[in-house]
Every structure is written in structure tokens, then in C-alpha cells.
Amino acid sequence: MRRNKKLTAIVIWVSLSIIFVGICLYFFLLLPERTTTLTDSSVHWKAEDVVHVQKLDKDFRTSSFDELKVWWTGTPGEFTDVQYELTGLHGMITKGNGASGPFNPWVTHNTNILLSEPQLEYGLILTITWNGGTETLHLQR
């Protein structure tokens, strides 16, 4: 009788260990990376924001790596004093400025952020100000 209880305990322990290892492998090693690309363009600008969903954090939420690229598509040398701001559903994500000249791309900005699926569905708003003018691009899938 005692031997049966011991054998049952070992079988249960081994089964739970295998299940635990399987779950860990899935979430930390086998969880596929997803990439979402958000784009928009205007007469003067072309923008692309690539979001790489990388892994789960300690609270089992996905973390993402955001890669923003902005190109000037107008006449070279036509803009100065350029500033940009990238916002989403929950406020500002990043902002910056640049010098004048034909950049290709003009902005390359990388950051670690957490973007939810509703955020990705809505998209991001990129506001670019240059030469006293402003253009707003709605980056979407």
C-alpha cells in the first residue's frame, strides 16, 4: 500500500514537472515573435513604424521594440528646423528634432515600449513640424 502511494506521488510529480517545463519552453523560447508595420505618407513625408513583439516580461505581458523611420520625399534641402512627435492612444511615445538636409531616412528611432493590440489596431500619430508648417500622419497597418 505504501509503495503504491509513493509510486503515485512520483508519477504526479513527474507529470507536473513535464507540464511546467512545457509551459516555460512555450512562453520563453517558442513564443513566436510578431511584427506589425504601421505606415503612412504625405506629399513631403513617408513614415514607417515597425513594432516587434519580442517576449513576455516578468508579469507575463508582451514587450515590444519600436523602430520608427521617417523619410523626406520633397525637394532636397527644402526643409529646416524639423521636429517630430509620435503619440498613441495613451499619449506621447517619443519626440525629437533634426537638422536640415536630405536624410534617407531622416529619423531612425528605436525604443522599448509596450503597445497593446488595441493600440496597434488604432495606429500611431506622427506630427512633423518644419519651416513653420505642420503635417500629421496617421500610421496604420
Side-chain angles (χ1 to χ4, degrees):
M1 185 78 163
R2 183 181 276 202
R3 183 177 172 140
N4 285 342
K5 286 184 179 183
K6 189 174 182 181
L7 184 59
T8 302
I10 290 173
V11 168
I12 290 172
W13 184 84
V14 168
S15 299
L16 290 175
S17 297
I18 290 172
I19 291 170
F20 178 74
V21 168
I23 290 171
C24 288
L25 283 174
Y26 175 76
F27 281 114
F28 297 107
L29 297 176
L30 303 176
L31 186 68
E33 179 180 301
R34 293 179 301 148
T35 300
T36 300
T37 303
L38 309 171
T39 60
D40 196 12
S41 62
S42 68
V43 174
H44 299 104
W45 302 98
K46 174 185 163 191
E48 175 183 273
D49 192 80
V50 180
V51 180
H52 304 275
V53 176
Q54 294 179 321
K55 60 183 178 179
L56 296 175
D57 67 11
K58 65 181 180 177
D59 297 319
F60 294 99
R61 293 179 300 194
T62 55
S63 64
S64 20
F65 180 73
D66 185 67
E67 185 179 13
L68 172 67
K69 292 182 181 178
V70 180
W71 292 268
W72 168 255
T73 59
T75 306
E78 194 176 89
F79 68 95
T80 58
D81 191 29
V82 183
Q83 299 178 356
Y84 72 93
E85 183 173 295
L86 186 66
T87 58
L89 281 174
H90 309 296
M92 186 183 66
I93 294 171
T94 186
K95 68 180 182 176
N97 56 30
S100 63
F103 296 92
N104 198 12
W106 167 66
V107 171
T108 301
H109 182 82
N110 300 310
T111 186
N112 288 316
I113 58 172
L114 182 61
L115 294 175
S116 64
E117 189 57 37
Q119 173 71 68
L120 291 174
E121 194 63 39
Y122 172 77
L124 301 172
I125 304 296
L126 177 65
T127 304
I128 303 170
T129 305
W130 85 105
N131 295 352
T134 299
E135 280 195 42
T136 302
L137 302 175
H138 189 177
L139 308 177
Q140 295 179 306
R141 290 181 179 162

